[in-house]
Amino acid sequence: MYTCTMNLKGSLPALILETLTRGSSHGYEIATVIKRKSAGVLDFKEGTLYPALHTLERDGLVESHTELENGRTRRYYKLTEKGSKHLEKSKLEWQKMSSAISNVLGGAT
Amino acid sequence: MISKIETWIFTATHGLAQQEIQRIKADVQQHFADACLAYQEKGLTISEAEARALADLGDAALAQQRYRVVYFTQDDEYRLQKLKMKSWWSELTLAGYLLLFGFVAYNMIVQPQGQNVSISTREVNFWSGLISVVWLLALLFEVRLKKFFAVQAPNHQVFWIQVLAIFLAHPFLIGLFSEAKMILETPLTSYLPFDVLRLIFVCGITFFSFKWLQMQLPLTIKAIRRLRA
């Protein structure tokens, strides 16, 4: 199966933000959703998920809180208002880029 | 016995600040436990599940490279602590400039006029100008760095006094430089106590300017790398 090793600098933050639009989630769930939704095409090393998540948190795009679940402390991440706006902007940029690439590859004049 | 995940975390977080290590450790351990559980639910044995979950995390050494860009290292933490210390480097600079005013004013009043100074004015102007620009840039960097790392709100009053001092002191630096050159060209045996004091002062200013840049440059590089990450 074809897999695409993602560049964290590029798409991962936007994918994380999109995953969090469904509600708060923990790290493992975020990674699983991205892989499942992309049918395993978007593959990344899960150890690199946290620098991206923590950077988003530092920039105020997501916020986190801990919850006690089955005797274990879990950290949940939630999208902020600023994060939602940033995601919309990222989506628009991506659509522009995607459509431009499609035009070139599809041979549109 | 140290588990494989602990070894992975130790390698990946080596050299990072303690606070950062604790945060990463908590998240990665939780992630690893979730992944192991999911693999076991798929029918894998505990050791197989652990091996798969560990492989999913990726190479610890590669993760460490990434972590060092995004998180604070122990060295970064030390420099940030220095930056937090009410920016005493900045205040020292200010004190230095005030001293400079004092020295030059003293020399203008006390020193006899018409001394034969065999120094190229252009050369002196260049170096004093360069030092002033470097100082000003360092000052601007410090304010930017504080904002970037959210260390503390910059003290605007001190900042503008410093900027003003740099501009005002610029012509006086010429005097200091010509004096420094004269002192250096004077044989040690004919040094006056006041010359020694002035020499110490020039060396002190150079040393503290260097220390200031030495603290700021790595943090600036860190900030740029973080922005590009």
Side-chain angles (χ1 to χ4, degrees), chain B residues 119-173:
Chain B
I119 300 162
S120 157
T121 313
R122 189 183 288 175
E123 189 189 340
V124 170
N125 274 339
F126 171 76
W127 287 109
S128 62
L130 186 73
I131 285 212
S132 295
V133 170
V134 169
W135 233 321
L136 199 64
L137 286 176
L139 213 63
L140 289 168
F141 264 138
E142 191 183 301
V143 174
R144 277 301 295 148
L145 283 174
K146 278 181 178 172
K147 276 187 179 172
F148 185 82
F149 293 116
V151 170
Q152 67 187 53
N155 186 335
H156 292 287
Q157 277 173 325
V158 169
F159 174 74
W160 287 113
I161 289 170
Q162 283 172 325
V163 172
L164 190 69
I166 288 171
F167 276 111
L168 289 176
H170 176 80
F172 293 107
L173 267 174

Side-chain angles (χ1 to χ4, degrees), chain B residues 97-115:
Chain B
Y97 272 113
L98 291 173
L99 262 171
L100 188 68
F101 281 120
F103 270 123
V104 178
Y106 175 85
N107 288 345
M108 285 169 88
I109 298 161
V110 175
Q111 271 198 346
Q113 297 298 308
Q115 276 190 353

Side-chain angles (χ1 to χ4, degrees), chain A residues 43-67:
Chain A
D43 190 25
F44 59 93
K45 294 298 174 194
E46 291 167 16
T48 56
L49 175 78
Y50 292 98
L53 253 177
H54 295 164
T55 303
L56 289 171
E57 190 181 11
R58 200 182 57 215
D59 295 343
L61 305 180
V62 300
E63 55 190 21
S64 73
H65 65 277
T66 50
E67 275 178 28

Side-chain angles (χ1 to χ4, degrees), chain A residues 91-109:
Chain A
K91 277 183 177 176
L92 277 173
E93 278 172 13
W94 170 251
Q95 277 159 9
K96 272 186 196 170
M97 172 82 87
S98 164
S99 121
I101 291 172
S102 298
N103 286 342
V104 174
L105 292 180
T109 52

